[in-house]
Amino acid sequence: MRQRPDPVPRLARWHSNIVRAPLFFLITGFFGTAALIASLWAKTGRTQHWIAQRWARACLAASGARLTVRGAENLRKYPVAVYAANHTSYMDTPVIFGTLPFQFRILAKKELWSLPFIGWYLARSGQIPVDVGNGSLSSLSAGVKALQAGMPLFVFPEGSRTPNGELQEFLAGAAFLAIRAKVPVVPIALHGVYDLLPIHTTHFYPCEMTLTVGEPMETGGMTLRQTDELTAELRNRIAGMLVEQPVCSER
């Protein structure tokens, strides 16, 4: 299990409780309401995505962390691709929405659609539910259609947040989507986001974060029989990018 380099001063915890966390929830409430109102007339999800990008950047500012983006040129090499990142924290979503400079849709666990506000936003903004629990790839057909229609997708191949900061095993969804739709898969490594907001805590611990975008992995000529092979290579690419990152240091 990853250990924090130094104990967090009590003052910093109070600052998170009194300032950062309430500000985060206020920002989320404001932009979430705006997205729901916009959904009354905006049916394509583009307006909601624009709002989500502003929400994400405001959340990152409220968290007090600093984000560095490496390999940003790899985000523009293909108009349509599957973007896949390690899943470390609830703050992964603001980092992704605040960084990717184009419209995209996310694949998320279908259970989220039953939650108030979150589920309403997901349904009205065109996000794609996936049944992680049954182990079947059949629920990914909507994602394939979105890619074939020209909409990039974002996936967390681990399926859920890491419990200890370490990279978990990958599910096959991202590779399946890329091969089936004949688009590249782009590996993304998130470093330091786990330290900002670890699992099972409500405290923000501002530190340096890095989002690294790797070279796109082309799938031309691949068949679905190579799904596991591509999944393993995707995980290896992300693991390699994480190894290259320095230890997160608090600000």
Side-chain angles (χ1 to χ4, degrees):
M1 180 176 293
R2 187 177 300 177
Q3 299 294 324
R4 298 195 57 77
D6 296 299
V8 179
R10 181 175 298 181
L11 181 60
R13 292 174 64 92
W14 277 105
H15 188 264
S16 176
N17 291 337
I18 296 173
V19 179
R20 299 195 191 283
L23 185 57
F24 176 86
F25 286 113
L26 284 173
I27 290 169
T28 299
F30 173 80
F31 283 101
T33 301
L36 288 175
I37 293 173
S39 70
L40 296 176
W41 70 84
K43 303 302 182 182
T44 65
R46 293 185 176 275
T47 300
Q48 294 94 314
H49 187 91
W50 184 89
I51 294 171
Q53 288 179 316
R54 274 67 195 168
W55 160 78
R57 292 164 189 168
C59 286
L60 290 175
S63 75
R66 180 182 292 119
L67 177 64
T68 298
V69 179
R70 298 177 178 173
E73 66 278 4
N74 293 323
L75 293 173
R76 293 291 193 181
K77 288 188 174 180
Y78 292 89
V80 183
V82 175
Y83 296 86
N86 54 314
H87 199 2
T88 66
S89 167
Y90 278 137
M91 287 300 292
D92 293 342
T93 300
V95 168
I96 292 297
F97 270 93
T99 302
L100 271 60
F102 45 75
Q103 284 277 328
F104 63 91
R105 299 294 178 263
I106 61 173
L107 262 71
K109 293 185 292 187
K110 70 174 186 178
E111 291 80 6
L112 296 176
W113 266 251
S114 63
L115 299 177
F117 295 102
I118 294 176
W120 302 341
Y121 169 79
L122 292 171
R124 296 185 182 187
S125 59
Q127 312 309 324
I128 301 171
V130 59
D131 189 353
V132 176
N134 67 6
S136 172
L137 296 174
S138 61
S139 62
L140 297 176
S141 58
V144 174
K145 291 178 181 178
L147 289 165
Q148 292 173 337
M151 178 61 70
L153 292 183
F154 178 83
V155 183
F156 288 119
E158 290 167 284
S160 59
R161 291 173 296 155
T162 173
N164 55 9
E166 303 300 326
L167 191 64
Q168 306 299 296
E169 292 302 315
F170 279 15
L171 301 175
F176 174 88
L177 287 166
I179 294 174
R180 183 75 181 274
K182 296 180 173 58
V183 299
V185 57
V186 181
I188 296 176
L190 301 178
H191 181 266
V193 191
Y194 176 85
D195 300 282
L196 172 63
L197 185 65
I199 195 170
H200 303 316
T201 182
T202 58
H203 301 295
F204 288 98
Y205 303 110
C207 66
E208 303 290 340
M209 304 186 301
T210 304
L211 181 149
T212 304
V213 187
E215 286 285 342
M217 304 165 61
E218 297 187 17
T219 62
M222 298 186 74
T223 69
L224 291 179
R225 292 183 178 181
Q226 296 172 281
T227 298
D228 290 342
E229 175 186 336
L230 182 59
T231 299
E233 179 59 23
L234 173 62
R235 187 183 185 281
N236 289 338
R237 293 277 189 97
I238 292 177
M241 290 189 288
L242 290 172
V243 169
E244 297 170 359
Q245 300 304 316
V247 174
C248 177
S249 59
E250 296 172 16
R251 293 179 61 190

